[in-house]
Amino acid sequence: LDVYGAPVMGEHERWLGVVIVAHDISELKRLEQIRKDFVANVSHELRTPVTSIKGFSETLLDGAYEDTPTLLSFLEIISKESNRLELLIKDLLELSKIEHAGFQVNAQPADMKAVIERAADMIYPGMEEKSIFLKLQLEPVMVLGDPDRLIQVVMNLLANALTYSASETTVEVRLYKEKDEAVIRVKDEGIGIEASEINRLFERFYRVDRARSRNSGGTGLGLSIVKHLVEAHHGKLKVDSEVGVGTTFTIYLPLAS
Ligand code: ADP
């Protein structure tokens, strides 16, 4: 609480009373803390790949390049870390754009079935490589939205389903109408998420298992982007999960018409 007091004087220096102004600044403090945490997180996340790229390239320049196997393995790390940096910058710019107060999606009648099929085409090679079966059950549904943004939403969910599932499991995507909404459901048979973690999933850079997620190439920003995009579409997002059984993300979007 921020408190200010000031005396109120009347004529001839007569003391009339005191005005006290009390400001509840706890919400401001909380927002300020979130902002500080975010800046600290961004710095850390950017520094990690840069440190690695610097270290490995300097070692190569110091002479390690003469040994071909070392050269190849270091170059591979440098290339992987630069890709990571690129992805991180892309996600950060994206998030800052869609978090901006004036951000609006270019909503139009969009063929949600086609959106999911395009996202599925993009993720398919990764699924095949990991021997994960991708099952689509899609009804024709027109939603009100921006197809490019909706592809981003579905891609993020599919990429997570792929990352957090073991081989020989199934990822299922369903699309159907329910009352006046479109329902999109992405269900995996992966590692699942503890109930106590679910509330924090959509925070920027939040990861249930930092090391695992980073190794898998995630930026920790995917679900924040999903949440903001779904909200910009006036939609809703729900997560159901059980550790060791799997996770289901459900998105509700307004229908076109
Ligand atoms: P990341 O890039 O780390 O995947 P996200 O914002 O997409 O970041 O997800 C945040 C965290 O939520 C992940 O690090 C992971 O711990 C958890 N998570 C997301 N999707 C799933 C899923 N389908 N199954 C299990 N855990 C998940």
Side-chain angles (χ1 to χ4, degrees):
L1 216 60
D2 244 8
V3 185
Y4 300 97
V8 181
M9 311 299 276
E11 276 176 65
H12 312 300
E13 301 283 301
R14 217 157 57 92
W15 174 268
L16 290 179
V18 183
V19 179
I20 293 178
V21 181
H23 249 312
D24 181 358
I25 56 164
S26 52
E27 177 61 10
L28 283 178
K29 278 241 165 79
R30 197 183 65 86
L31 292 176
E32 178 59 13
Q33 191 57 46
I34 289 178
R35 198 193 59 79
K36 279 188 183 156
D37 289 349
F38 179 62
V39 173
N41 275 328
V42 169
S43 317
H44 175 78
E45 297 287 334
L46 291 174
R47 201 174 290 138
T48 312
V50 171
T51 305
S52 160
I53 291 168
K54 262 184 80 173
F56 283 101
S57 52
E58 278 163 14
T59 313
L60 284 179
L61 288 172
D62 281 347
Y65 68 90
E66 286 176 77
D67 176 52
T68 309
T70 309
L71 175 66
L72 286 178
S73 84
F74 282 16
L75 282 178
E76 216 164 274
I77 297 172
I78 292 171
S79 159
K80 193 175 141 227
E81 293 295 307
S82 348
N83 284 331
R84 182 175 166 67
L85 203 53
E86 186 184 31
L87 190 69
L88 199 59
I89 292 169
K90 192 177 123 261
D91 275 2
L92 274 172
L93 289 177
E94 186 61 28
L95 194 61
S96 98
K97 189 156 87 187
I98 61 184
E99 271 190 341
H100 196 267
F103 174 76
Q104 274 186 341
V105 288
N106 178 18
Q108 51 188 286
D111 181 346
M112 195 62 212
K113 183 168 182 266
V115 163
I116 295 176
E117 281 165 348
R118 271 175 58 198
D121 281 344
M122 288 192 266
I123 202 81
Y124 189 73
M127 295 274 182
E128 202 176 34
E129 193 181 330
K130 206 172 162 185
S131 296
I132 292 177
F133 182 57
L134 181 62
K135 187 171 154 196
L136 304 180
Q137 253 186 298
L138 312 174
E139 289 174 14
V141 176
M142 295 295 285
V143 299
L144 202 56
D146 178 337
D148 292 330
R149 296 301 191 178
L150 293 171
I151 286 187
Q152 250 182 308
V153 168
V154 177
M155 268 309 283
N156 270 307
L157 296 182
L158 286 177
N160 280 346
L162 170 62
T163 302
Y164 302 105
S165 295
S167 295
E168 311 297 332
T169 59
T170 298
V171 172
E172 192 183 294
V173 187
R174 289 188 61 196
L175 167 68
Y176 54 93
K177 276 186 223 173
E178 197 176 75
K179 292 181 199 143
D180 55 348
E181 287 177 313
V183 183
I184 300 128
R185 186 155 280 170
V186 178
K187 179 171 181 276
D188 67 49
E189 300 169 346
I191 59 173
I193 304 161
E194 257 349 305
S196 59
E197 307 273 2
I198 298 240
N199 282 336
R200 304 202 55 194
L201 284 190
F202 300 96
E203 288 175 22
R204 298 174 292 194
F205 291 121
Y206 188 76
R207 295 160 168 138
V208 175
D209 180 340
R210 288 192 87 80
R212 187 204 300 252
S213 164
R214 189 171 293 122
N215 282 337
S216 67
T219 61
L221 296 174
L223 286 181
S224 307
I225 293 176
V226 166
K227 177 172 176 263
H228 278 93
L229 284 179
V230 169
E231 283 171 359
H233 278 90
H234 308 289
K236 283 173 297 176
L237 185 62
K238 198 176 113 203
V239 193
D240 294 288
S241 189
E242 201 177 324
V243 173
V245 178
T247 305
T248 304
F249 283 90
T250 311
I251 292 170
Y252 303 88
L253 289 178
L255 293 171
S257 81

